Amino acid sequence: DNTIGRKICPYIMPCEPPVSCGANSTCAFGYMDYYAPYREDKQCNRLHYTLRDGSCFAPRCSMCDISEENPHFRLDGACVPCPQIPWLLPAIMVFVCIIGLGAMIVLSKSKVSRNVLRIGVDYFQVLSMFRTAKVAWPVEIKLMLFYFQFFQMDIDLTGPECAFRSIVTYENKFYFKALLPFLGGALIATVFSIVYVAQRIKKCFSRRRAMSAADTEKKVPAAAVVTSITMSMVYFLYLTVCRAGFDVLNCQDTMPPTGKFYMVSMPLEECYKDGGMQLRLLPYAVLLLLVYGVGFPAGIAFIFALKKKTILADQSLRLQDKGD
């Protein structure tokens, strides 16, 4: 109605998730509809209205509270409190990843099988998936399942947007998750390349030309170690990467239904809308699921079928400590 000076007439939309709405037309704890701009350009998100005082307005209580007094971040579609030290959890995850890469390098060089480790990680990853099920778990089991989620190595659990809110967005995290196994493989290849160059330089400037007993000992080729560790990373991150692709495709109607579908992981993002984030990420999500979700297990099955005799021979030699 332009007669009262409004350029737009906002309409009422159901809250998504439903728990974001409180009593008496208020937002529940951890959610908000009015908030101050936090972007560097001082502009509101395109999904919100910019009011005359410069604040932003969301048509429903689906925005996580980002105030300094009560910061929240989105996890599994709901808003949860940020850690008291925002940068600590991301730093811990990076440290654990570095320690894990170092351990895998040592195990690969020592020719120690990582199958037992893979079985354990698989077990905890599958158990952690029960946390998101619509089941009233006891508090003890729910807490245990929450800690099991860290075995998925999902960066969402650390709430990086709490410490770097202007940089870490849903779209940036999607691309990072999709490229994470390959970034890790590139990092390992770089480290091995540096070590190889350093060893070659040391050998060229070494005065002692005679080969020592350690030099004559057969070593696992560096390329084999890099390939093995990279494949292990792809294996461990399989659920996390595939879930990132499915989250883009996972859309649902509101309660009560309005005929419009919104992303479950980002309730303010309308699906299949021109210019929307979901439609922009959709081709990459489908490609990710085809290449990573279907291509990885299919590629492994193809290699096993193609190299069946070689694999069986290698297993027989390994039993006699002769295979490599």
Side-chain angles (χ1 to χ4, degrees):
D1 186 358
N2 293 329
T3 58
I4 59 176
R6 291 188 304 182
K7 294 182 179 181
I8 56 174
C9 184
Y11 54 91
I12 299 176
M13 290 287 293
C15 290
E16 193 65 36
V19 295
S20 61
C21 283
N24 299 324
S25 300
T26 59
C27 296
F29 179 75
Y31 297 88
M32 62 193 312
D33 50 6
Y34 292 91
Y35 62 97
Y38 59 84
R39 300 191 175 190
E40 294 181 358
D41 56 2
K42 299 301 181 181
Q43 296 295 323
C44 295
N45 189 287
R46 62 177 182 81
L47 300 173
H48 305 79
Y49 305 131
T50 303
L51 304 182
R52 292 182 179 179
D53 60 358
S55 61
C56 306
F57 170 74
R60 49 186 175 149
C61 298
S62 296
M63 181 71 187
C64 293
D65 190 351
I66 58 175
S67 62
E68 296 182 359
E69 300 79 12
N70 186 33
H72 282 65
F73 72 100
R74 198 173 297 280
L75 179 63
D76 297 329
C79 295
V80 297
C82 288
Q84 294 183 354
I85 306 178
W87 56 267
L88 184 59
L89 284 179
I92 291 176
M93 177 165 282
V94 172
F95 178 76
V96 171
C97 290
I98 294 175
I99 297 299
L101 288 176
M104 285 196 291
I105 291 175
V106 172
L107 292 176
S108 296
K109 284 183 169 294
S110 303
K111 303 180 182 180
V112 177
S113 176
R114 299 186 298 274
N115 291 331
V116 176
L117 177 63
R118 292 174 179 173
I119 294 174
V121 173
D122 278 347
Y123 178 74
F124 291 124
Q125 284 184 342
V126 172
L127 284 180
S128 66
M129 297 174 65
F130 287 99
R131 179 179 176 271
T132 56
K134 303 300 181 181
V135 178
W137 299 109
V139 178
E140 296 79 7
I141 295 181
K142 190 174 183 178
L143 182 62
M144 180 179 63
L145 295 177
F146 172 77
Y147 286 113
F148 284 167
Q149 278 192 312
F150 285 95
F151 285 91
Q152 294 185 13
M153 291 168 279
D154 191 352
I155 60 174
D156 288 341
L157 297 174
T158 63
E161 53 265 52
C162 294
F164 314 101
R165 197 174 292 275
S166 60
I167 301 175
V168 179
T169 62
Y170 184 91
E171 193 168 357
N172 292 339
K173 286 194 298 183
F174 171 82
Y175 292 126
F176 180 77
K177 291 178 184 179
L179 298 175
L180 185 58
F182 308 102
L183 293 175
L187 176 62
I188 297 171
T190 302
V191 172
F192 271 86
S193 299
I194 295 174
V195 172
Y196 175 78
V197 172
Q199 290 177 347
R200 297 297 297 180
I201 294 175
K202 182 179 179 180
K203 185 176 181 180
C204 292
F205 287 94
S206 177
R207 296 180 179 179
R208 185 177 180 181
R209 300 296 182 181
M211 296 180 64
S212 62
D215 294 329
T216 58
E217 182 182 355
K218 186 178 180 181
K219 298 180 180 180
V220 179
V225 176
V226 172
T227 302
S228 176
I229 296 177
T230 302
M231 295 302 294
S232 296
M233 291 183 59
V234 173
Y235 180 83
F236 290 144
L237 294 171
Y238 184 80
L239 285 179
T240 299
V241 177
C242 288
R243 183 180 178 183
F246 280 116
D247 282 345
V248 177
L249 276 66
N250 190 12
C251 300
Q252 67 178 12
D253 203 345
T254 57
M255 296 177 60
T258 59
K260 293 185 177 182
F261 290 82
Y262 294 85
M263 294 178 61
V264 176
S265 55
M266 290 292 288
L268 282 175
E269 288 288 345
E270 185 177 348
C271 295
Y272 312 109
K273 181 180 180 181
D274 293 338
M277 183 189 69
Q278 191 271 345
L279 192 61
R280 187 167 60 251
L281 293 178
L282 185 59
Y284 301 103
V286 174
L287 181 63
L288 179 66
L289 293 174
L290 290 177
V291 175
Y292 200 98
V294 179
F296 176 67
I300 294 297
F302 176 76
I303 293 175
F304 270 57
L306 186 65
K307 300 289 185 179
K308 180 179 179 180
K309 294 182 179 180
T310 304
I311 293 174
L312 292 176
D314 181 70
Q315 289 178 331
S316 300
L317 292 173
R318 275 181 174 270
L319 292 176
Q320 304 174 36
D321 198 22
K322 297 179 180 180
D324 194 13

